[in-house]
């Protein structure tokens, strides 16, 4: 039986298990004022309803990242991820969350051609998922699009630095900012997206001094991943920090080792089935 009870004081479409209100885009944006941020923002990726339910009470934001391509579908990169995938997983995460702001990643090929292209895809994402915001990769080149969407009711989270959809241009998942040209690009990209109206910016895979300078240079909160403690918040792929994968990037801290615990539990199950120790009378139906 579900432990959730219906709270009639909250939105009928999203009854909450506990009295709580979903965080809004302005609430996240306002966590940084006059260049100063308070308590760091907590963001994790979520792709499925059950994970969303578990992560939601602890987070400020849940990101339905296009990293689901690798994590859920076993793809080599985020390039093949489709709008259909993002909409299906995004809707599940919105259904499973009550507190966090949910943000959906725009997949490669769904927004880059023009602001009109982007608004068509983003509108579909927002209608089909119920999420309040989208994220898109890219800096100066995407500034016009960020501004176009923001002014038409679609809040945008930017993403600069190591942008995985540009893996073929960057020549791999390389830390950015080791040379003057990439350091300047990260800063120019962050400034452009901030000025265009992004409510927050993910900074991925950059050296600490660049992350610090970018965070100080923009008015909206920055969310770091492999970008040091200098950002206004942090994001990780939930499955990485839980220890579901053996190999993770250097910037990940494994807060658990759930792969080992799943392995042990499944070994117990297999042994119980093979020895006929499972199922027992409690798991067996008998005629009344
Ligand atoms: O797709 C994703 O998970 C992301 C985060 C890692 C920032 O973009």
């Amino acid at each position: 039986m579900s432990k959730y009870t219906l709270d009639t004081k909250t939105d009928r479409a999203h009854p909450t298990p506990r009295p709580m209100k979903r965080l809004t885009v302005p609430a996240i944006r306002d966590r940084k004022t006059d260049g100063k941020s308070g308590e760091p923002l907590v963001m994790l990726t979520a792709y499925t309803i059950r994970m969303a339910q578990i992560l939601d009470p602890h987070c400020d934001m849940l990101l339905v990242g296009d990293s689901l391509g690798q994590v859920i579908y076993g793809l080599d990169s985020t390039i093949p991820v489709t709008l259909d995938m993002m909409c299906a997983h995004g809707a599940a995460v919105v259904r499973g969350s009550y507190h966090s702001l949910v943000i959906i990643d725009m997949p490669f090929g769904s927004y880059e051609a023009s602001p009109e292209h982007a608004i068509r895809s983003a509108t579909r994402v927002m209608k089909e998922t119920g999420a309040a915001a989208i994220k898109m990769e890219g800096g100066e080149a995407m500034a016009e699009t960020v501004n176009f969407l923001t002014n038409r009711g679609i809040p945008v989270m930017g993403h600069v630095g190591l942008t995985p959809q540009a893996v073929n241009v960057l020549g791999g998942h390389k830390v950015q900012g080791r040379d003057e040209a990439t350091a300047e690009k990260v800063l120019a990209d962050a400034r452009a997206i901030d000025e265009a109206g992004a409510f927050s910016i993910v900074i991925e895979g950059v050296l600490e001094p660049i992350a610090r300078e970018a965070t100080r240079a923009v008015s909206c909160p920055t969310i770091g991943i492999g970008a040091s403690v200098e950002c206004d918040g942090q994001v990780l792929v939930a499955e990485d920090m839980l220890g579901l994968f053996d190999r993770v990037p250097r910037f990940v801290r494994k807060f658990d080792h759930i792969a080992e615990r799943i392995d042990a539990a499944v070994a117990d199950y297999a042994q119980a089935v093979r020895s006929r120790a499972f199922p027992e009378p409690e798991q067996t139906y008998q005629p009344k």
Side-chain angles (χ1 to χ4, degrees), residues 45 47 63 65-67 105 135 159 202 204 225 235 237:
T45 60
Y47 318 117
L63 171 67
D66 61 353
S67 50
D105 238 347
K135 174 166 88 57
H159 186 158
V202 168
E204 178 165 356
I225 174 162
V235 59
V237 168

Side-chain angles (χ1 to χ4, degrees), residues 231-266:
C231 296
D232 299 309
Q234 297 293 326
V235 59
L236 284 175
V237 168
E239 286 76 357
D240 284 349
M241 55 76 72
L242 290 171
L244 193 63
F245 297 106
D246 291 339
R247 290 188 58 212
V248 291
R250 169 169 164 216
F251 58 74
V252 174
R253 184 197 292 177
K254 289 188 185 175
F255 287 80
D256 201 344
H257 295 87
I258 57 167
E260 288 166 23
R261 295 204 278 139
I262 293 172
D263 184 66
V266 175

Side-chain angles (χ1 to χ4, degrees), residues 103-251:
I103 300 142
I104 318 282
D105 238 347
M106 300 298 292
F108 181 69
S110 71
Y111 63 96
E112 301 89 333
S114 64
E116 291 75 17
H117 181 216
I119 205 162
R120 268 196 303 277
S121 301
T123 303
R124 178 181 164 199
V125 165
M126 294 194 58
K127 279 183 185 286
E128 291 189 19
T129 65
I134 57 106
K135 174 166 88 57
M136 58 174 61
E137 294 185 10
E140 284 180 295
M142 294 311 301
E144 187 193 346
T145 298
V146 171
N147 189 258
F148 188 86
L149 295 191
T150 306
N151 286 329
R152 286 161 181 78
I154 303 184
V156 180
M157 173 178 267
H159 186 158
V160 304
L162 197 181
T163 46
Q165 291 175 12
V167 61
N168 293 310
V169 174
L170 299 175
H173 292 91
K174 291 183 183 159
V175 174
Q176 301 295 294
R178 288 202 188 281
D179 56 83
E180 215 178 305
T182 60
E184 274 170 15
K185 178 163 167 39
V186 174
L187 293 173
D189 283 345
R191 282 199 189 96
I193 293 300
D194 182 48
E195 279 161 21
F199 72 91
S200 176
I201 304 174
V202 168
I203 303 184
E204 178 165 356
V206 308
L207 302 188
E208 182 170 41
I210 314 297
R212 184 188 306 125
E213 205 177 328
T215 296
R216 287 182 185 163
V218 299
S219 61
C220 68
T222 61
I223 310 295
I225 174 162
S228 87
V229 75
E230 295 288 340
C231 296
D232 299 309
Q234 297 293 326
V235 59
L236 284 175
V237 168
E239 286 76 357
D240 284 349
M241 55 76 72
L242 290 171
L244 193 63
F245 297 106
D246 291 339
R247 290 188 58 212
V248 291
R250 169 169 164 216
F251 58 74

